[in-house]
């Protein structure tokens, strides 16, 4: 969300900021080199086994931290002054949680590329995330940083359970900047992430398994981007243990609709590879889609459309059609005809056309369509605003269903009456 036009802009004096976190210092302390830092930041640096001053890289003769009381009084006076003039509703300038400027972000990126301490890197990444969330202009600014994506990929590829918070922030920024990139940017990201011993895929899988809802969705969206490049990338991801299992697991009526939609969108992209379709069918993806189509609870339009689109893709495989014909999947497809959107109706008609007109491998499908009032709905589809091709499919289906209906009626008519000719 961008800043409100009436919001007061606060310029923080440079010497009030910690050189490590770049936030306003709450407890300024000085090293023997004379450089002042916020106590928590420099303490983490020293606890990490470092024996140099982060700003000057001088060897420390002493690790004593001396409180800089003069600077602390100045910061408090400035903070009180800004707080009273900005009003009670403005953020506390000393909270360190304000949105950094573009200049500060440039400095943060430079420090991030050199910093080795994970706690400090976490602070820097948190600032970058706040910057990204603030406005569209900020997101565009960060998208133009060519060295940012490789830096984020390095963070993601070095994943451990202890670094999961840092990895989640890196994925969040990746998700934001890559969606604004062009095809070349997406290909570059895919190459970086998939040629790194698949450590990046390990990190993304960990984010899906252990992250909060927002992190899961962001991780799935990044997966979709890197899988969209070519067939090879799709197969690398599909063959990575755990990824398909986790994504298919998220497609259930109890999951958050946004997560379901993101997962379906990714699986649709992945299923453009014929080999991946077979994997999805074997993993019982169709059963999950059936549950979504048959649920009595309200499902979002996007989820229904993507469920039907994925089902349409999987119906191109013989084993997929066989799976669809079992259980209540066909009934679920007919149920969504004319009930959700034009897009959903077109996907549903295409699925039925494939089952009943093109292949006709299971005759019970036609009975299910008739029993579910499918013929009446198809007659309406012919007169709807669906595409000409879909309307023709509906006509083809009606012909098949009517012929079958007439044949059934004739077979049911039996008589033992002997007709005697009058002459």
């Amino acid at each position: 969300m961008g800043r409100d036009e009436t919001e007061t802009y606060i310029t923080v004096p440079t010497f009030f900021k910690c050189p490590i976190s770049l936030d306003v210092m709450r407890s300024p302390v000085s090293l023997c080199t004379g450089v002042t830092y916020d106590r928590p930041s420099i303490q983490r640096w020293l606890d990490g086994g470092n024996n140099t001053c982060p700003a000057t890289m001088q060897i420390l003769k002493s690790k004593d931290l001396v409180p800089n009381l003069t600077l602390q009084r100045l910061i408090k006076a400035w903070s009180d002054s800004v707080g009273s003039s900005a009003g009670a509703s403005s953020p506390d300038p000393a909270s360190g949680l304000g949105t950094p400027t573009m200049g500060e972000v440039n400095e943060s990126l430079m420090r991030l590329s050199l910093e080795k301490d994970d706690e400090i890197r976490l602070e820097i990444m948190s600032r970058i995330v706040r910057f990204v969330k603030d406005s569209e202009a900020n997101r565009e600014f960060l998208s133009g940083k060519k060295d940012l994506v490789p830096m984020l990929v390095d963070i993601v590829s070095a994943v451990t359970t202890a670094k999961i918070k840092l990895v989640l922030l890196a994925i969040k920024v990746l998700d934001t900047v890559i969606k604004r990139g062009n095809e070349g940017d997406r290909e570059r990201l895919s190459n970086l992430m998939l040629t790194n011993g698949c450590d990046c895929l390990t990190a993304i899988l960990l984010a899906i398994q252990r992250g909060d809802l927002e992190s899961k969705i962001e991780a799935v969206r990044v997966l979709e981007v890197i899988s969209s490049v070519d067939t090879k990338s799709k197969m690398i991801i599909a063959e990575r243990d755990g990824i398909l299992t986790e994504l298919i697991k998220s497609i259930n009526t109890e999951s958050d609709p946004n997560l379901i939609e993101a997962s379906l969108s990714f699986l649709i992209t992945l299923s453009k590879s014929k080999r991946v379709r077979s994997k999805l069918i074997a993993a019982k993806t169709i059963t999950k889609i059936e549950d979504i189509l048959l649920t009595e609870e309200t499902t979002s339009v996007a989820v229904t459309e993507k469920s039907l689109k994925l089902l349409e893709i999987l119906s191109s495989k013989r084993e997929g059609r066989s799976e669809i014909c079992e259980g209540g999947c066909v009934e679920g497809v007919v149920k969504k005809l004319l009930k959700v959107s034009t897009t959903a109706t077109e996907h549903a008609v295409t699925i039925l056309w494939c089952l009943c007109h093109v292949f006709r491998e299971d005759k019970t499908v036609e009975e299910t369509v008739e029993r579910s009032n499918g013929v009446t709905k198809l007659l309406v589809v012919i007169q709807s605003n669906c595409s000409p091709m879909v309307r023709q499919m509906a006509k083809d289906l009606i012909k098949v269903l009517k012929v079958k209906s007439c044949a059934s009626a004739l077979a049911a008519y039996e008589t033992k009456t002997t007709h005697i000719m009058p002459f």
Side-chain angles (χ1 to χ4, degrees):
M1 183 181 295
R3 294 185 179 91
D4 188 89
E5 291 180 359
T6 61
E7 182 181 342
T8 303
Y9 286 78
I10 299 171
T11 302
V12 182
T14 304
F15 60 93
F16 285 179
K17 300 177 187 177
C18 173
I20 295 174
S21 68
L22 301 180
D23 289 330
V24 177
M25 290 182 279
R26 286 182 173 276
S27 179
V29 292
S30 299
L31 288 175
C32 60
T33 58
V35 182
T36 300
Y37 301 90
D38 200 17
R39 183 183 290 276
S41 296
I42 190 61
Q43 192 65 60
R44 278 194 294 271
W45 170 265
L46 296 174
D47 290 346
N50 298 293
N51 64 344
T52 57
C53 172
T56 65
M57 297 311 292
Q58 288 177 262
I59 301 294
L60 297 174
K61 296 178 180 178
S62 167
K63 293 187 178 181
D64 292 340
L65 302 176
V66 181
N68 190 330
L69 300 178
T70 302
L71 183 57
Q72 189 167 22
R73 283 193 294 270
L74 286 172
I75 291 174
K76 185 177 187 309
W78 169 80
S79 180
D80 291 344
S81 172
V82 170
S84 60
S85 62
S89 61
S90 296
D92 177 7
S95 68
L97 296 178
T99 303
T101 64
M102 291 181 181
E104 290 170 339
V105 166
N106 278 333
E107 188 177 345
S108 293
L109 291 174
M110 188 178 299
R111 288 195 61 81
L112 186 63
S113 64
L114 302 172
E115 189 57 64
K116 301 301 180 185
D117 184 276
D118 287 335
E119 289 296 328
I120 296 173
R121 293 168 88 200
L122 188 61
E123 288 183 14
I124 296 172
M125 281 301 303
S126 297
R127 289 177 62 82
I128 294 172
V129 168
R130 293 201 300 274
F131 177 81
V132 163
K133 285 184 172 181
D134 187 64
S135 69
E136 183 63 30
N138 288 355
R139 290 186 282 276
E140 289 292 341
F141 171 78
L142 211 55
S143 298
K145 297 292 178 182
K146 297 301 181 185
D147 295 333
L148 176 63
V149 169
M151 194 187 309
L152 295 173
V153 171
D154 285 342
I155 291 173
V156 173
S157 65
V159 65
T160 63
T161 304
K163 296 180 181 179
I164 185 64
K165 289 183 180 178
L166 184 61
V167 168
L168 292 179
L169 291 178
I171 290 174
K172 184 185 292 290
V173 178
L174 269 177
D175 174 54
T176 301
V177 299
I178 201 62
K179 67 179 65 171
R180 287 165 176 76
N182 55 34
E183 187 175 344
D185 294 328
R186 290 191 288 274
E187 186 173 346
R188 183 176 174 221
L189 175 63
S190 181
N191 290 336
L192 284 170
M193 297 195 82
L194 298 181
T195 57
N196 212 338
C198 288
D199 286 337
C200 288
L201 293 184
T202 301
I204 291 178
L205 180 58
L206 200 60
I208 295 171
Q209 292 171 331
R210 302 191 184 185
D212 58 17
L213 176 62
E214 187 177 0
S215 298
K216 290 177 189 286
I217 294 171
E218 289 160 351
V220 173
R221 287 200 294 245
V222 170
L223 269 181
E224 181 177 358
V225 169
I226 64 177
S227 69
S228 65
V229 175
D230 54 29
T231 302
K232 182 181 177 182
S233 64
K234 292 175 177 60
M235 286 309 304
I236 291 174
I237 294 170
E239 290 175 351
R240 177 63 173 81
D241 288 343
I243 289 183
L244 284 186
T245 302
E246 287 297 326
L247 269 293
I248 294 170
K249 190 190 300 182
S250 69
I251 305 173
N252 68 74
T253 54
E254 295 180 1
S255 293
D256 180 85
N258 293 318
L259 178 59
I260 299 174
E261 183 183 350
S263 300
L264 287 168
S265 183
F266 165 63
L267 292 177
I268 288 168
T269 298
L270 212 58
S271 64
K272 290 175 183 177
S273 164
K274 292 181 180 180
R275 288 171 61 191
V276 174
R277 290 176 208 170
S278 297
K279 286 181 174 290
L280 291 176
I281 294 165
K284 299 297 179 184
T285 307
I286 291 172
T287 303
K288 294 285 189 178
I289 296 174
E290 178 184 324
D291 292 340
I292 291 174
L293 297 179
L294 290 175
T295 183
E296 295 300 325
E297 298 175 10
T298 303
T299 307
S300 74
V301 172
V303 167
T304 304
E305 288 177 349
K306 286 181 168 58
S307 295
L308 289 166
K309 182 173 183 178
L310 182 55
L311 196 64
E312 178 187 330
I313 294 170
L314 298 182
S315 70
S316 66
K317 302 282 288 185
R318 185 183 181 88
E319 60 267 36
R321 294 190 296 274
S322 177
E323 191 82 18
I324 293 170
C325 293
E326 297 176 3
C329 201
V330 174
E331 182 183 343
V333 172
V334 177
K335 182 180 177 182
K336 298 303 178 184
L337 278 172
L338 302 169
K339 197 173 181 180
V340 180
S341 66
T342 300
T343 300
T345 295
E346 291 188 343
H347 288 311
V349 170
T350 305
I351 294 166
L352 296 176
W353 183 76
C354 182
L355 297 174
C356 300
H357 179 72
V358 179
F359 295 100
R360 303 189 72 179
E361 293 153 333
D362 190 333
K363 302 300 182 182
T364 61
V365 175
E366 297 164 18
E367 295 172 3
T368 304
V369 174
E370 286 187 87
R371 188 172 62 249
S372 304
N373 199 31
V375 175
T376 303
K377 289 187 174 184
L378 289 168
L379 286 168
V380 177
V381 169
I382 293 173
Q383 303 172 57
S384 71
N385 62 344
C386 289
S387 69
M389 183 175 68
V390 169
R391 293 201 300 270
Q392 182 58 52
M393 288 180 181
K395 291 177 184 178
D396 293 339
L397 281 166
I398 288 170
K399 288 177 185 176
V400 170
L401 295 170
K402 278 191 172 182
V403 167
K404 185 179 185 307
S405 179
C406 291
S408 298
L410 288 172
Y413 179 74
E414 292 182 5
T415 178
K416 295 185 183 298
T417 305
T418 301
H419 295 280
I420 303 172
M421 300 300 288
F423 46 80

